[in-house]
Amino acid sequence: MTLDSTDLFGPVLDRRVVPVLVPMPAPRAYSYAVPDGMAVEPGSIVQVPLGPRFVVGVVWDGEDDGGVDPKKLKQIEKVFDCPPLGPDMRAFLDWVAAYTLTPPGLVVRMALRAPTAFDPEPMVEALRLTEMRPERMTAARERVLATASDGLSWTRSGLAHAAGVSSSVIDGLTSQGVFETVFMPPPPVVAAPDPAFAAPRLEGPQKQAAADLLAAVEERKFSVSLIDGITGSGKTEVYFEAIAATLRAGKQVLILLPEIALTASFLERFQDRFGAKPAEWHSDLAPRMREKVWRQVTTGQVRVVAGARSALFLPFEDLGLIIVDEEHDPAYKQEDRVFYNARDMAVVRGRIGNFPVVLVSATPSVESRVNGEVGRYRPIHLPTRFGDAALPDLGIVDMRRHPPERGGFLSPVLVNQIGKTIGRREQALLFLNRRGYAPLTLCRVCGHRFQCPDCSSWLVEHRFRGQIQCHHCGYSERTPEACPECGTLDHLVACGPGVERIAEEVERHFPDARTIVLSSDLMGVKRLRLELEAIARGEADIVIGTQLVAKGHNFPNMTLVGIVDADLGLANGDPRAAERTFQLLSQVTGRAGRTGLKSLGLLQTYQPQHPVMQAIVSGDSDAFYEREIHERERAVLPPFGRLASVIVSADTRGDAEGHARGLRNAAPRVDGIAILGPAEAPLALIRGRHRFRLLVHGRRNSDMQSFVRAMIAAGPKERGSVSVQLDIDPQSFL
Ligand code: ADP
Ligand code: ZN
């Protein structure tokens, strides 16, 4: 007889122990015991006890460190009947955690954003034809039998609808045994896309671009392509070909869009090409839908997802392509809990999963443009607009020479063009990236400025609502009539324009025009989608909007775009200010003239010689990039150098500053890495918390993560109200 370990030591050693990542900011996985008879593997989604409650976690890789007596360990409560997170997905989540210096549990939580999706969706009751036939035939019954004779199962209402009868006809047949009740899997959230549904005939440079892209995609291995082409050149049409090829190869596709909640037109366009819509993924999705999409992505029922940045963390069954549309868009950067850039992490996901990634933009980020120039990315260029669509003529309105009327913000040059445009029954768009009526209110008598009590920011007047509001914390109060400082009545003045104030000015000039203000604070997503459709149908003459009008909408009759304040955003100390302004203004002016009508874009500026203005009106973006890239290289800024921000906040200014100093003093000395600060943040106070910033500046090959980790480890512990946020590759410096 041979002895096995069970006989020698009893069953205790047989208890398996596995690491489980729980959705908490813990530095590593916790150990849990696996009860007898339970099968788990790395990636299994499980329910485990944590303190007084149960949480959902994921069995992780690696050996348990054996530090705890297995008898004392808590047991896994349950394994969900759900595909485990695959090895690529786990490696990706680990990578993101390490790169962004985020506790891995918080990253894993992003992959589990569908609270009750881990159990299979319940089966749906359905009807199937039996051998029985009704005693008495009617025309309606015949239609039902003919429809159901395909041998498939039908839902009661689906069958009634398809046969054009009322449900009672179906019920009558069921009670006679003509139908039996069966259970079938729930229907997919979207139909399967058909790569051959409506393939376009590509033209001119599109052919070469598509051929180049397909060559990359069909290698079926990691590569990054950068499609760079002016708005309306057919970038979307070209990357649809890459999607078709990937679908034919049986793989799933993810399309990232910066503002998916607003891009109803994109979904329709996809449907026109592929015969079905992609599944949507974004924060405005109804919870039930969210769960269905999550589930069906993991099982592979959903083939294509169009989503906001968070879609990158969906556990696809077999992802084969990621498209990042408008890759330069700042909305890809998340600055909340996990600080990451979805564009960059999409490239990482492609590398780990060994599949192609396609970045798309009319105005690529400097980082991507450089990567294209040095050959890390494959540049694919579309130089001309498709068909007879011409780019708008672009002009500068020199505000020093053509100033607005007193109290106004629109130059007579622009007003004149608006009049001509609506006179031709075409539409005009006025763009100003400022919500509300006026960004600052002050008292003419004592000079008091209305400031947020909890933030270092002015309160913005929202006249439609009769409020003044803080745009950082949401604080608001009724617009006062008297100055709280000196008590004088009716001497408050609004300084500077917001979209509501521009609308007022427009209505003075054009009282009969149909004017609409589009701003995220004025309406929810649903309303916004409806308004955008109405505008596309021509139900407005003059549209005044913030940056959400810049994104991807197609207004066929829009022939004038006026940029109210092209200088806004140039002067805020952000190293990307010029780039951002160039991108935003190019995108907005690109809204005009998409259908062949002659169109015009006008930029109101006090700095007509600024390189950004010159680059836009001359159409010479190459010169702009060349200059911008040179500047970055000289200052060793990304992509030629690296940055990391450390933001320390606390209830008192002293605590925040003291902690930031402590961190700086604790930083290791590393050749090529320097620390700037601590300095009080430009937004020195948010929600009552005082903020200080450190900026870590390294060379291109510096190990920023090790440096920051060492600094945090050697620095003062986070105590009391102090909290530290790390932002690798920061986009915001406020
Ligand atoms: P971009 O993504 O570069 O802005 P789009 O792909 O949206 O450009 O193309 C602009 C417009 O031209 C769209 O309405 C699109 O349907 C149309 N279009 C582009 N290429 C073709 C083509 N080859 N055949 C038919 N329509 C096209
Ligand atoms: Zn505030």
Side-chain angles (χ1 to χ4, degrees):
M1 184 181 95
T2 52
L3 290 176
D4 66 26
S5 60
T6 314
D7 298 314
L8 277 175
F9 304 108
V12 172
L13 265 194
D14 234 26
R15 286 187 65 181
R16 288 165 302 146
V17 176
V18 292
V20 174
L21 273 179
V22 294
M24 303 286 145
R28 59 185 196 87
Y30 293 146
S31 298
Y32 282 89
V34 184
D36 291 339
M38 179 185 278
V40 296
E41 58 182 296
S44 294
I45 300 180
V46 295
Q47 189 167 47
V48 293
L50 185 76
R53 52 201 186 100
F54 286 97
V55 297
V56 173
V58 181
V59 176
W60 216 244
D61 303 88
E63 291 293 301
D64 179 71
D65 61 10
V68 187
D69 177 357
K71 272 185 287 191
K72 295 202 178 124
L73 283 179
K74 292 192 175 159
Q75 289 196 350
I76 293 177
E77 174 75 14
K78 130 173 208 194
V79 190
F80 289 98
D81 180 4
C82 173
L85 300 187
D88 289 352
M89 188 65 190
R90 301 198 303 277
F92 173 65
L93 297 174
D94 273 337
W95 201 96
V96 173
Y99 187 85
T100 60
L101 299 173
T102 309
L106 292 187
V107 179
V108 164
R109 183 164 68 180
M110 296 199 292
L112 302 177
R113 283 280 166 80
T116 62
F118 312 126
D119 280 317
E121 290 180 76
M123 299 289 259
V124 178
E125 226 179 275
L127 299 173
R128 195 166 54 197
L129 213 52
T130 63
E131 300 292 298
M132 301 278 281
R133 286 298 167 266
E135 295 146 20
R136 194 174 51 81
M137 248 328 169
T138 64
R141 286 179 168 181
E142 256 170 42
R143 281 207 302 281
V144 173
L145 292 178
T147 309
S149 64
D150 61 1
L152 301 177
S153 307
W154 289 78
T155 62
R156 177 170 164 270
S157 59
L159 181 54
H161 186 78
V165 303
S166 74
S167 304
S168 62
V169 177
I170 313 278
D171 293 344
L173 289 169
T174 308
S175 67
Q176 292 184 38
V178 177
F179 286 108
E180 62 183 348
T181 302
V182 293
F183 288 87
M184 64 176 194
V189 289
V190 282
D194 173 5
F197 184 77
R201 188 204 303 259
L202 297 178
E203 300 199 353
Q206 295 178 345
K207 280 192 202 143
Q208 189 58 46
D212 291 350
L213 186 62
L214 284 180
V217 166
E218 276 162 2
E219 281 175 15
R220 309 248 143 269
K221 62 185 182 52
F222 173 63
S223 66
V224 184
S225 304
L226 172 64
I227 308 182
D228 157 8
I230 53 175
T231 43
S233 58
K235 297 186 293 298
T236 313
E237 222 61 66
V238 167
Y239 77 64
F240 276 177
E241 293 311 290
I243 295 174
T246 309
L247 290 174
R248 279 192 205 101
K251 303 257 177 195
Q252 289 170 295
V253 175
L254 169 61
I255 309 164
L256 292 178
L257 300 165
E259 202 86 34
I260 177 77
L262 295 179
T263 36
S265 61
F266 176 85
L267 303 178
E268 265 151 39
R269 184 153 171 210
F270 186 94
Q271 182 168 31
D272 291 344
R273 167 66 181 82
F274 293 102
K277 286 191 173 147
E280 282 181 75
W281 184 264
H282 53 80
S283 55
D284 283 305
L285 221 53
R288 280 285 295 137
M289 192 55 171
R290 198 176 175 76
E291 279 155 16
K292 277 176 174 288
V293 172
W294 190 93
R295 180 85 201 174
Q296 296 185 7
V297 166
T298 64
T299 58
Q301 251 175 304
V302 162
R303 306 311 297 168
V304 180
V305 175
R309 61 183 183 226
S310 59
L312 191 56
F313 293 90
L314 282 169
F316 286 84
E317 183 215 26
D318 189 11
L319 188 57
L321 174 69
I322 302 179
I323 309 277
V324 186
D325 203 349
E326 310 282 6
E327 66 90 27
H328 64 276
D329 200 293
Y332 284 123
K333 181 69 193 280
Q334 171 161 308
E335 290 168 349
D336 177 27
R337 258 172 266 209
V338 184
F339 287 57
Y340 70 95
N341 187 323
R343 189 252 336 266
D344 299 341
M345 295 306 119
V347 171
V348 171
R349 191 156 181 195
R351 200 181 61 213
I352 291 175
N354 198 27
F355 58 75
V357 177
V358 180
L359 311 181
V360 184
S361 177
T363 50
S365 62
V366 168
E367 283 86 342
S368 296
R369 171 114 180 177
V370 170
N371 280 328
E373 287 177 2
V374 303
R376 259 192 298 274
Y377 296 173
R378 300 180 201 211
I380 293 179
H381 199 54
L382 282 168
T384 49
R385 270 198 165 178
F386 170 73
D388 54 359
L391 278 174
D393 286 333
L394 296 174
I396 280 176
V397 179
D398 183 344
M399 297 297 273
R400 299 165 309 183
R401 290 183 47 213
H402 307 285
E405 297 173 0
R406 223 180 120 70
F409 301 92
L410 303 176
S411 158
V413 178
L414 181 54
V415 173
N416 181 26
Q417 288 297 338
I418 298 172
K420 285 188 181 162
T421 305
I422 62 176
R424 290 193 306 266
R425 311 220 155 275
E426 293 166 4
Q427 293 170 302
L429 169 69
L430 298 182
F431 171 79
L432 177 63
N433 209 7
R434 244 195 210 145
R435 293 179 283 143
Y437 183 85
L440 168 67
T441 306
L442 59 77
C443 170
R444 220 191 316 244
V445 176
C446 75
H448 173 76
R449 297 168 169 220
F450 287 80
Q451 195 179 344
C452 176
D454 299 322
C455 303
S456 42
S457 66
W458 308 126
L459 292 174
V460 178
E461 182 182 356
H462 287 249
R463 197 159 279 192
F464 290 175
R465 290 223 177 95
Q467 287 180 333
I468 47 178
Q469 286 181 3
C470 172
H471 282 182
H472 294 288
C473 71
Y475 170 88
S476 70
E477 56 182 82
R478 285 203 56 74
T479 309
E481 285 159 12
C483 173
E485 198 67 28
C486 67
T488 316
L489 258 179
D490 295 333
H491 273 72
L492 301 178
V493 290
C495 301
V499 279
E500 294 178 10
R501 195 168 192 180
I502 297 301
E504 199 179 80
E505 188 174 345
V506 162
E507 278 157 21
R508 263 202 317 275
H509 287 294
F510 306 102
D512 298 329
R514 295 166 302 170
T515 300
I516 176 170
V517 176
L518 283 187
S519 171
S520 57
D521 57 316
L522 294 175
M523 51 193 81
V525 168
K526 269 221 181 86
R527 207 14 238 296
L528 213 48
R529 281 190 174 183
L530 293 176
E531 296 285 5
L532 289 166
E533 282 165 22
I535 293 168
R537 284 195 304 269
E539 291 171 20
D541 303 311
I542 305 170
V543 180
I544 299 150
T546 58
Q547 64 171 353
L548 55 86
V549 299
K551 294 193 177 156
H553 317 297
N554 208 345
F555 304 128
N557 205 32
M558 183 87 59
T559 57
L560 174 68
V561 170
I563 311 282
V564 175
D565 184 355
D567 306 330
L568 188 72
L570 273 181
N572 61 6
D574 178 336
R576 291 189 182 83
E579 179 192 340
R580 289 261 190 273
T581 302
F582 171 70
Q583 287 160 341
L584 187 58
L585 299 188
S586 305
Q587 202 167 13
V588 180
T589 50
R591 291 300 114 216
R594 295 177 65 100
T595 47
L597 291 173
K598 193 164 167 41
S599 63
L600 178 66
L602 289 177
L603 282 69
Q604 297 198 141
T605 174
Y606 288 90
Q607 318 171 54
Q609 295 311 321
H610 195 288
V612 168
M613 306 308 152
Q614 290 300 324
I616 295 170
V617 292
S618 68
D620 191 357
S621 59
D622 287 346
F624 174 75
Y625 277 109
E626 209 174 290
R627 186 177 167 282
E628 197 59 23
I629 289 170
H630 179 75
E631 290 284 303
R632 297 269 185 101
E633 194 162 15
R634 205 180 42 80
V636 199
L637 286 169
F640 304 99
R642 305 196 55 200
L643 296 174
S645 286
V646 180
I647 305 138
V648 181
S649 62
D651 287 347
T652 69
R653 193 175 182 280
D655 283 352
E657 184 170 19
H659 194 92
R661 269 191 204 298
L663 285 176
R664 190 200 165 116
N665 295 339
R669 279 177 207 291
V670 174
D671 194 33
I673 299 186
I675 303 188
L676 308 167
E680 189 160 55
L683 273 170
L685 188 70
I686 297 185
R687 295 171 196 273
R689 296 190 50 89
H690 296 262
R691 304 167 76 241
F692 275 78
R693 300 184 69 108
L694 294 165
L695 188 63
V696 183
H697 184 191
R699 295 191 193 129
R700 208 187 114 68
N701 56 1
S702 297
D703 183 349
M704 305 291 278
Q705 281 80 4
S706 295
F707 180 89
V708 174
R709 231 185 277 116
M711 175 170 79
I712 299 285
K717 297 288 149 275
E718 281 177 48
R719 247 188 240 110
S721 70
V722 172
S723 108
V724 177
Q725 280 174 339
L726 305 177
D727 185 358
I728 304 289
D729 308 331
Q731 299 267 338
S732 158
F733 299 86
L734 294 177

